[in-house]
């Protein structure tokens, strides 16, 4: 770990040794490290180091609103550290990572969290707990693999991949209020026999020998 003093133009090696460091972010004088051997670490304003999450291989880290530190692991886990309350939680719902290694994390100008794997990027709204996903193989993206996330001066997200990069101008649709959707049953199959039903039917009775049900 090195730190650079802009005032005097000097690069200094830190005495802190946490092994391989994959990513760094800062917040109000605090330095957060995503490491392979020492987990998620924080260096306070006195230079002391604190281990926030241990025994995890962290690959990426991002700062949201100078309060929440988002971090991802190579085992497909996402952790959130609340600086104000000194509390750590893990996000599992809706992300659909299935153990995919997290390559990079970024926070856009709207506060949405972008979570990158090699084949998919997940955009997560932490307020409404909603998500959207894009795959590298989609026709309007057409990349073999995703490699990295970046953010330009306007806060727009850029995804780099094997075949180039793609800029996402806005993702404001995830900020809209979610609407309640009513589910209707239109057809079903039992033991491979397909049947249609009226959309107002809400009860389906099955006999003991009727199995392999598909709605």
């Amino acid at each position: 770990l090195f730190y650079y003093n802009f005032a005097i133009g000097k690069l200094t090696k830190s005495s802190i040794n946490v092994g391989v460091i994959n990513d760094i972010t800062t917040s109000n004088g605090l330095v957060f490290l995503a490491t392979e051997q020492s987990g998620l670490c924080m260096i306070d304003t006195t230079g002391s180091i604190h281990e926030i999450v241990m025994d995890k291989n962290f690959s990426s880290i991002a700062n949201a609103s100078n309060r929440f530190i988002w971090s991802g692991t190579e085992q497909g886990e996402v952790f959130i550290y609340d600086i104000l309350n000194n509390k750590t939680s893990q996000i599992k719902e809706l992300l659909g990572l299935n153990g995919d290694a997290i390559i990079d994390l970024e926070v856009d100008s709207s506060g949405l969290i972008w979570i990158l794997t090699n084949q998919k990027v997940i955009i997560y709204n932490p307020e409404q707990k909603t998500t959207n996903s894009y795959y590298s193989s989609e026709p309007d993206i057409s990349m073999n693999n995703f490699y990295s996330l970046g953010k330009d001066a306007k806060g727009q997200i850029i995804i780099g991949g094997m075949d180039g990069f793609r800029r996402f101008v806005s993702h404001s649709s995830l900020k809209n209020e979610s609407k309640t959707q009513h589910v209707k049953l239109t057809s079903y199959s039992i033991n491979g026999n397909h049947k249609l039903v009226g959309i107002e039917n809400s009860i389906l009775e099955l006999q003991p020998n009727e199995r392999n049900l598909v709605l």
Side-chain angles (χ1 to χ4, degrees):
L1 178 64
F2 293 83
Y3 59 92
Y4 182 77
N5 189 323
F6 284 92
I8 60 176
K10 183 179 179 181
L11 181 68
T12 305
K13 183 178 181 180
S14 170
S15 60
I16 293 174
N17 184 13
V18 292
V20 176
I21 300 172
N22 288 323
D23 206 356
I24 300 176
T25 192
T26 61
S27 175
N28 296 324
L30 303 174
V31 179
F32 295 89
L33 309 175
T35 77
E36 292 191 7
Q37 288 83 20
S38 303
L40 178 63
C41 302
M42 177 186 72
I43 303 175
D44 63 23
T45 54
T46 68
S48 300
I49 189 165
H50 307 269
E51 293 179 332
I52 300 173
V53 179
M54 301 172 59
D55 302 324
K56 298 289 183 180
N57 189 337
F58 282 89
S59 55
S60 53
I61 196 169
N63 177 11
S65 305
N66 281 324
R67 175 178 174 180
F68 297 103
I69 301 298
W70 290 73
S71 53
T73 73
E74 293 189 1
Q75 291 73 39
E77 302 162 302
V78 177
F79 290 86
I80 309 169
Y81 176 64
D82 186 339
I83 301 175
L84 184 61
N85 295 316
N86 189 27
K87 182 180 179 181
T88 305
S89 57
Q90 186 176 356
I91 292 295
K92 294 182 179 180
E93 77 277 10
L94 297 176
L95 295 183
L97 288 166
N98 298 321
D100 298 332
I102 298 173
I103 299 174
D104 210 348
L105 281 170
E106 191 59 84
V107 184
D108 68 13
S109 56
S110 299
L112 302 178
I113 314 300
W114 294 64
I115 304 167
L116 190 72
T117 70
N118 66 342
Q119 296 291 323
K120 180 171 65 172
V121 59
I122 301 167
I123 306 100
Y124 180 67
N125 185 329
E127 295 180 0
Q128 300 179 6
K129 293 181 173 57
T130 55
T131 64
N132 201 355
S133 300
Y134 294 105
Y135 290 85
S136 60
S137 59
E138 292 186 18
D140 57 342
I141 298 178
S142 296
M143 295 184 187
N144 289 326
N145 286 289
F146 288 143
Y147 285 155
S148 61
L149 286 172
K151 185 167 61 175
D152 64 13
K154 297 180 180 179
Q156 298 173 349
I157 296 296
I158 301 172
I159 300 180
M162 179 178 292
D163 305 298
F165 67 91
R166 171 70 185 270
R167 176 182 286 109
F168 289 78
V169 176
S170 174
H171 215 279
S172 58
S173 60
L174 280 181
K175 302 293 287 185
N176 298 333
E177 291 292 335
S178 59
K179 299 179 181 180
T180 300
Q181 301 293 335
H182 299 284
V183 178
K184 297 290 186 179
L185 178 63
T186 57
S187 66
Y188 65 93
S189 66
I190 297 177
N191 295 328
N193 298 317
H194 193 198
K195 299 181 180 180
L196 300 176
V197 298
I199 61 173
E200 300 303 325
N201 290 356
S202 59
I203 298 177
L204 179 62
E205 295 183 359
L206 300 178
Q207 299 301 316
N209 64 332
E210 294 180 322
R211 303 176 182 177
N212 299 324
L213 174 66
V214 179
L215 302 179

